[in-house]
């Protein structure tokens, strides 16, 4: 165990892109006899600490699953509270994004979000667009199946317009039409709260990602928990279909 006054340090091997399924706000609140919305408020604080810790550690891209296409089915007062909380978060965290030179991006059908949220998102995206080295991606009204359906439609339109070759059936050609076009695939996907499913999140992009499922509820997730996940990631051997011997040989030749 490190001394109590010493912060854990990031491991030598870091993922370029970390994606997080933030889960457990409701259970955190229920365990404490609090309203679900209070759990979401505490979860927003966890976003701030995790965001800062990730970029301080050297992560370049951080994607947070903030609101899924299925979340509209929740009680309307909870949905409304989440939208107000998102607005508040964007206003409060703009200084943090600017200070740390982080650009904001979104993935999902954001045109279906309330006008006030769309306005705040547009303003924050514009204000941080000049930052090129680090990116926070919020998945809002997002679902991977919806993304694939939208990408198929976009690809078909591009073929009809002569912008895509119908004989090019490569993944790279199709991926140009995903919400995440231009963003590296996640190296590490973390899900909090002990659930062991991916819930329609980045299904195509995470084909070769490492997964970590932690029992920590999202409001309790912070710097120490993130660094523990990064340390676990550093122990993994990523083979991408190759053998361990091939990976070792490649790494040796790169040194």
């Amino acid at each position: 165990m490190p001394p109590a006054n010493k912060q854990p340090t990031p491991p030598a091997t870091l993922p370029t892109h970390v994606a997080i399924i933030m889960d457990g706000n409701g259970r955190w609140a229920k365990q404490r006899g609090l309203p679900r919305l209070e759990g979401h408020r505490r979860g927003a604080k966890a976003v701030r600490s995790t965001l800062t810790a990730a970029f301080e550690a050297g992560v370049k891209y951080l994607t947070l699953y903030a609101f899924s296409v299925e979340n509209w089915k929740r009680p309307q007062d909870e949905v409304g509270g989440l939208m107000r909380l998102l607005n508040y978060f964007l206003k409060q965290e703009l200084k943090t994004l600017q200070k740390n030179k982080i650009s904001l991006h979104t993935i999902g059908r954001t045109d279906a979000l309330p006008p006030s949220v769309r306005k705040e998102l547009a303003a924050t995206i514009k204000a941080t667009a000049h930052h090129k080295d680090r990116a926070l991606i919020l998945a809002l009204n997002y679902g991977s199946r919806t993304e694939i359906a939208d990408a198929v439609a976009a690809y078909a339109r591009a073929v009809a317009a002569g912008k895509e070759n119908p004989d090019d059936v490569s993944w790279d050609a199709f991926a140009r039409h995903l919400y995440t076009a231009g963003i590296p695939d996640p190296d590490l996907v973390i899900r909090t709260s002990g659930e062991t499913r991916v819930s329609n999140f980045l299904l195509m992009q995470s084909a070769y990602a490492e997964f970590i499922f932690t029992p920590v509820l999202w409001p309790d997730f912070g710097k120490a928990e993130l660094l523990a996940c990064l340390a676990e990631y550093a122990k993994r051997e990523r083979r991408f279909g190759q053998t361990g011997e091939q990976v070792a040989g490649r790494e040796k030749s790169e040194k």
Side-chain angles (χ1 to χ4, degrees):
M1 292 287 290
N5 62 346
K6 184 179 180 181
Q7 289 290 336
T9 56
T13 303
L14 280 168
T16 296
H17 183 176
V18 174
I20 304 179
I21 302 172
M22 305 179 293
D23 192 23
N25 291 345
R27 272 167 284 172
W28 184 92
K30 185 177 180 180
Q31 289 175 3
R32 291 159 177 77
L34 299 169
R36 286 180 61 86
L37 195 55
E38 183 58 28
H40 294 309
R41 291 193 186 98
R42 298 299 180 94
K45 292 184 178 180
V47 168
R48 172 184 286 181
S49 59
T50 302
L51 166 69
T52 302
F55 291 117
E56 284 180 349
V59 173
K60 300 298 184 184
Y61 297 85
L62 178 66
T63 297
L64 301 177
Y65 202 6
F67 192 85
S68 76
V69 292
E70 291 84 9
N71 285 157
W72 295 110
K73 301 173 186 176
R74 294 188 175 189
Q76 286 305 301
D77 58 342
E78 182 175 350
V79 171
L82 283 168
M83 292 299 131
R84 290 190 294 273
L85 189 57
L86 175 57
N87 250 352
Y88 179 78
F89 170 82
L90 291 169
K91 292 176 181 177
Q92 292 294 114
E93 297 307 314
L94 178 57
K95 290 182 179 179
T96 301
L97 296 176
Q98 296 284 38
K99 178 182 177 181
N100 292 284
K101 298 181 180 180
I102 301 166
S103 60
L104 178 69
H105 305 262
T106 62
I107 56 174
R109 291 180 172 176
T110 55
D111 55 343
L113 296 172
S116 60
V117 174
R118 297 201 306 270
K119 180 180 178 181
E120 203 63 46
L121 280 170
T124 307
I125 290 170
K126 182 178 180 180
T128 60
H130 57 289
H131 301 310
K132 303 299 182 183
D133 295 331
R134 300 170 174 178
L136 170 64
I137 302 106
L138 296 181
L140 294 165
N141 196 24
Y142 175 86
S144 191
R145 290 178 174 178
T146 302
E147 177 181 26
I148 294 166
D150 286 349
V152 168
Y155 184 78
R157 289 193 297 270
V159 169
K163 297 178 180 179
E164 290 284 4
N165 179 359
D167 295 323
D168 182 358
V169 292
S170 67
W171 168 249
D172 288 342
F174 182 71
R176 286 195 289 266
H177 302 279
L178 293 170
Y179 301 151
T180 55
I183 299 171
D185 289 343
D187 303 293
L188 171 63
V189 178
I190 301 168
R191 180 168 187 148
T192 61
S193 87
E195 302 291 352
T196 53
R197 57 181 181 273
V198 294
S199 296
N200 200 19
F201 181 56
L202 298 178
L203 298 179
M204 305 300 288
Q205 296 88 337
S206 62
Y208 282 99
E210 295 296 318
F211 284 80
I212 293 177
F213 300 98
T214 171
V216 178
L217 299 176
W218 178 248
D220 293 327
F221 195 89
K223 181 175 182 178
E225 290 73 24
L226 175 70
L227 292 181
C229 289
L230 296 182
E232 171 60 27
Y233 171 86
K235 300 175 185 177
R236 308 276 182 93
E237 180 183 69
R238 306 186 71 203
R239 295 192 293 272
F240 299 98
Q242 296 181 316
T243 66
E245 290 77 12
Q246 286 176 304
V247 172
R250 186 189 70 223
E251 291 176 347
K252 184 178 180 180
S253 67
E254 291 174 351
K255 290 182 179 179

